[in-house]
């Protein structure tokens, strides 16, 4: 089915992927900026290499060190002084683990609140409002970070990013709740998903290369913090325009899918529904149960991979934000091509064989 054949709301759902793709693009550059500031804020352990005149060898002594270069990573040699960023002040948290810690905290918050969010989406008329206002928070958070990403506001930026990531998750959950209602035709729904995935990855790739070009023009490609601020500014402008157009002009408000009983609350309803779903999967849909468990582990691995990959390339490979962005752009461009290729498999092989083919290709 061609894109023009979709109705207005289906097109809006696809356009929403553009905003989500831009948000992910901004996070890639923001992560490098956060690591750079973490290294500035962290206490540094330094050793000075001094010559030993007795046996023509060198020995080291520990010295106080305030040397925190703008783009310091795992370690930096300044003359004969080797400075390695240590822990964030008064926390015991290593500067190199900031991204993985943020991802862990966000995953824990999401695990606790997703059942409640699911109950609100299913049993209230506020699905549109959650999708819209979570987007508003995300856009204003990006705009704030584009201006105030500094060493002085490091901890507020970290908290804002954790909350913003959770708001992004809320937006994704509520927007995906629209998908089953866009059409009852499974083939058409597959086509909508196809266009959405391709749009998501292409937006990420185009956004990354746009930021790299702007960074080159502005001569800030080697400054992780300035690149992060510029990327967040681009993200705020683009996502604000796209999300506003989609959710104010294309996506409709929805009534509650189910009624809540008088003695039920969202907390109990969400977790009880989760328990009921697991019980039904175990008794009636055992193959589906193991499939969903595999999906859960896959999603967890993807989330961990992003934060670990950015930390590794920045701290161990000493790559700048521009170099990391270029690497991620190459990876994401392959994903968009893969989405175009794999969308043809269900039509040619059937859904089950297509799933096995995707597993084999992924392996």
């Amino acid at each position: 089915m061609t894109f023009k054949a979709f109705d207005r709301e289906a097109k809006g759902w696809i356009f929403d992927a553009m905003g989500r793709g831009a948000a992910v693009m901004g996070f890639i550059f923001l992560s490098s900026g956060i690591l750079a500031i973490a290294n500035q804020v962290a206490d540094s352990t330094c050793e000075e290499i001094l010559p030993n005149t007795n046996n023509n060898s060198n020995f080291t002594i520990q010295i106080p060190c305030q040397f925190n270069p703008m783009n310091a990573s795992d370690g930096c040699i300044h003359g004969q002084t080797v400075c390695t960023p240590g822990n964030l002040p008064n926390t015991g948290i290593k500067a190199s683990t900031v991204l993985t810690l943020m991802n862990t905290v966000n995953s824990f918050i999401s695990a606790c609140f997703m059942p409640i969010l699911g109950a609100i989406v299913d049993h209230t008329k506020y699905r549109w409002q959650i999708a819209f206002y979570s987007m508003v928070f995300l856009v204003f958070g990006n705009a704030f970070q584009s201006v105030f990403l500094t060493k002085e506001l490091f901890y507020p930026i970290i908290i804002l990013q954790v909350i913003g990531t959770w708001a992004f998750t809320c937006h994704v959950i509520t927007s995906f709740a629209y998908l089953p209602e866009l059409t009852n035709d499974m083939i058409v729904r597959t086509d909508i998903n196809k266009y959405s995935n391709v749009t998501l990855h292409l937006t990420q790739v185009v956004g990354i290369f746009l930021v790299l070009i702007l960074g080159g023009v502005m001569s800030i490609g080697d400054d992780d913090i300035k690149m992060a601020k510029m990327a967040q500014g681009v993200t705020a402008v683009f996502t604000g325009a796209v999300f506003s157009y989609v959710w104010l002009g294309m996506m409709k408000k929805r009534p509650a899918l189910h009624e809540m009983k008088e003695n039920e609350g969202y907390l109990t309803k969400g977790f009880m529904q989760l328990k009921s779903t697991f019980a039904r999967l175990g008794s009636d849909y055992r193959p589906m149960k193991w499939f969903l468990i595999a999906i859960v582990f896959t999603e967890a691995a993807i989330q961990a991979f992003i934060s670990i990959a950015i930390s590794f390339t920045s701290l161990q490979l000493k790559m700048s934000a521009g170099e990391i962005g270029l690497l991620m752009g190459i990876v994401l461009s392959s994903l968009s091509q893969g989405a175009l290729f794999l969308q043809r498999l269900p039509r040619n092989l059937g859904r089950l064989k297509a799933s096995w083919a995707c597993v084999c290709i992924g392996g």
Side-chain angles (χ1 to χ4, degrees), residues 9-261:
E9 198 168 24
K11 291 178 180 178
W13 196 84
I14 295 171
F15 286 147
D16 183 74
M18 296 177 65
R20 290 186 275 115
V24 174
M25 177 277 297
F27 175 75
I28 292 174
F29 290 96
L30 177 65
S31 299
S32 298
I34 287 176
L35 283 176
I37 296 179
N39 290 328
Q40 293 182 17
V41 173
D43 299 323
S44 296
T45 302
C46 295
E47 293 180 339
E48 185 172 1
I49 303 175
L50 299 176
N52 188 337
T53 57
N54 294 328
N55 55 13
N56 296 322
S57 62
N58 295 332
F59 67 95
T60 60
I61 60 172
Q62 288 193 352
I63 60 173
C65 181
Q66 299 297 326
F67 176 68
N68 285 310
M70 178 68 71
N71 291 314
S73 295
D74 177 60
C76 189
I77 299 178
H78 186 239
Q80 293 297 309
T81 302
V82 181
C83 300
T84 304
N87 297 335
L88 299 177
N90 305 316
T91 63
I93 300 173
K94 286 186 174 295
S96 58
T97 63
V98 168
L99 292 183
T100 52
L101 180 61
M102 290 169 57
N103 184 61
T104 301
V105 172
N106 178 68
S107 298
F108 178 78
I109 294 174
S110 298
C112 292
F113 285 94
M114 281 305 104
I116 303 174
L117 178 63
I120 295 175
V121 170
D122 286 343
H123 296 86
T124 71
K125 60 181 181 180
Y126 300 117
R127 188 194 316 178
W128 183 92
Q129 286 83 349
I130 294 174
F132 178 77
Y133 288 110
S134 61
M135 170 269 297
V136 170
F137 181 87
L138 182 66
V139 171
F140 278 97
N142 290 335
F144 181 87
Q145 290 167 335
S146 70
V147 179
F148 298 105
L149 184 62
T150 62
K151 181 172 64 176
E152 291 74 20
L153 294 176
F154 175 70
Y155 292 108
I157 289 292
I158 292 295
I159 296 173
L160 176 63
Q161 183 58 28
V162 171
I163 299 175
T165 304
W166 182 72
F168 178 79
T169 304
C170 292
H171 180 82
V172 172
I173 294 297
T174 49
S175 63
F176 267 82
Y178 276 80
L179 180 59
E181 300 175 2
L182 296 177
T183 178
N184 293 322
D185 190 326
M186 292 299 297
I187 300 297
V188 176
R189 193 179 301 173
T190 300
D191 288 336
I192 295 174
N193 259 322
K194 173 194 68 176
Y195 282 105
S196 175
N197 288 330
V198 173
T199 302
L200 175 75
H201 296 309
L202 285 179
T203 304
Q204 292 171 346
V205 173
V206 173
I208 286 174
F209 285 103
L210 174 62
V211 170
L212 291 176
I213 292 172
L214 292 176
V217 172
M218 300 168 64
S219 300
I220 60 173
D222 293 330
D223 191 321
D224 292 355
I225 298 175
K226 290 183 179 180
M227 284 288 289
K229 294 171 72 172
M230 187 263 290
Q232 288 301 90
V234 172
T235 301
V237 173
F238 183 80
T239 56
V242 171
F243 282 142
S244 297
Y245 177 70
V246 169
W247 291 96
L248 293 177
M250 304 184 78
M251 305 304 290
K252 302 175 183 177
K253 295 182 179 180
R254 287 287 194 272
L257 294 176
H258 308 285
E259 296 293 332
M260 287 279 288
K261 297 179 181 179

